[in-house]
Amino acid sequence: MAPATTSSAAAAAAPAHRFIRFNRRTSAPRQPSPPGSPPKKKMKSMAEIMAKAKFTVVERGDYGDVTCEHCRSGDRSDELLLCDKCDRGFHMKCLRPIVAIVPIGSWLCPACSGHRRVRSFSQKKIIDFFRIQKCSDRDPKDECAPPQDARKRRRRSGSLVLQKRRRRILPFVSSEDPAQRLKQMGSLASALTALHMEFSDDLAYMPGMAPRSANQSKFEDGGMQILSKEDTETLELCRAMCKRGECPPLKVAFDSREGFTVEADEQMKDMTFIAEYTGDVDYIKHRENDDCDSMMTLLLATEPSKSLVICPDKRGNIARFINGINNHTLEGKKKQNCRCVRYSVNGQCRVFLVATRDIAKGERLYYDYNGYEQEYPTQHFL
């Protein structure tokens, strides 16, 4: 007695335990094939099917014993994400970056996903990636030369007491070694590439989002500072240095707990300009259900429909990778060494990151996400 036959498609779709029960059943006698009918297909063996299968579905009836790989707790089962490859569990708030909403479709844990792989950048690729302006000679009259005279004039102007009270922003001092600067820019380029982002040192106004005319500081509801003339000069100086490839002494590193993080590669003084927060400008009402964990408030208007937010999910710079503190704990507050400030610059809203104390080499940068509105939850931050 030969076993009854079935199609190869049905055999491939059926779970393994059904095959076992099927082969143990008593087989029916073979019926003669009608004349002229095509020959029946031969059933594939399980070894052939499993050899070509990319994934094996393991049927588990109970997930009650699943625990988070980070905190080793099985509590808050509604927040546990199961990796579709290794079947391990992770709390949404234990992951770094934090997962704000349940992902749609399949999800892979950081160990199984390949999007964290970074590639190295050569010197030419770094120059092209950041669109650095190359200067052939260092003539002091050249536009690419640093305006040393302007920097000296700012030091001499005004009294010492006035400077201390006003807390002027200082320009960053880039690393002297060109090879070290290339490594710093290469780490940023690798991080941006890993997240499929483009480098942008300016706010971007894309079609379908907020127009440039919507970014006007006159719409602000009272939580914005006005950038002074001296600080505006410092900002323009830092932008000119970045265009020449003289970047802030910072590098991007990846941490298994915190995700991408930014470290100081040289000592930085208090009130040093770190970076401007850049990305796509959009209305907050369009992003209320967005899961981008690095959005930054740009404009809080009197009319809520005109409020704006910066979204660095497609375009951005190193400010995208600076992490926030847990402002619910004393230890978390001690880690803060920079702050995020919204300024009115020539009638437009801008967001800057500035050091709040001296930052040592190798120290990671942290700031409080709740600079003004006090609405961002940080109690789950490290």
Side-chain angles (χ1 to χ4, degrees), residues 227-275:
L227 195 67
S228 65
K229 180 180 178 181
E230 293 81 2
D231 290 342
T232 302
E233 293 177 359
T234 300
L235 173 64
E236 295 302 322
L237 172 62
C238 292
R239 290 177 63 86
M241 292 172 65
C242 290
K243 290 180 180 179
R244 297 194 302 268
E246 300 176 16
C247 59
L250 304 170
K251 61 181 180 181
V252 183
F254 183 76
D255 185 271
S256 59
R257 300 180 63 197
E258 298 186 22
F260 285 112
T261 182
V262 178
E263 299 177 356
D265 208 26
E266 297 282 355
Q267 184 178 1
M268 304 180 71
K269 293 183 179 180
D270 182 19
M271 289 300 295
T272 297
F273 175 82
I274 296 173

Side-chain angles (χ1 to χ4, degrees), residues 345-365:
V345 183
N346 298 325
Q348 288 191 338
C349 305
R350 308 271 285 275
V351 181
F352 301 142
L353 287 167
V354 182
T356 57
R357 59 173 172 83
D358 292 347
I359 303 175
K361 181 179 180 179
E363 186 177 350
R364 291 184 177 179
L365 272 61

Side-chain angles (χ1 to χ4, degrees), residues 157-171:
S157 62
S159 63
L160 182 62
V161 177
L162 181 62
Q163 288 184 2
K164 192 172 184 180
R165 184 168 59 244
R166 292 183 63 178
R167 300 275 292 171
R168 293 178 178 175
I169 299 177
L170 302 176

Side-chain angles (χ1 to χ4, degrees), residues 19-39:
F19 277 104
I20 296 174
R21 293 200 300 267
F22 186 87
N23 291 334
R24 290 180 178 176
R25 288 179 182 173
T26 303
S27 303
R30 177 181 294 179
Q31 299 293 333
S33 303
S37 61

Side-chain angles (χ1 to χ4, degrees), residues 325-326 329-337 357 363 366:
I325 64 166
N326 184 342
T329 64
L330 182 60
E331 292 299 321
K333 293 180 180 180
K334 287 181 179 179
K335 296 196 313 185
Q336 180 175 352
N337 49 19
R357 59 173 172 83
E363 186 177 350
Y366 295 96

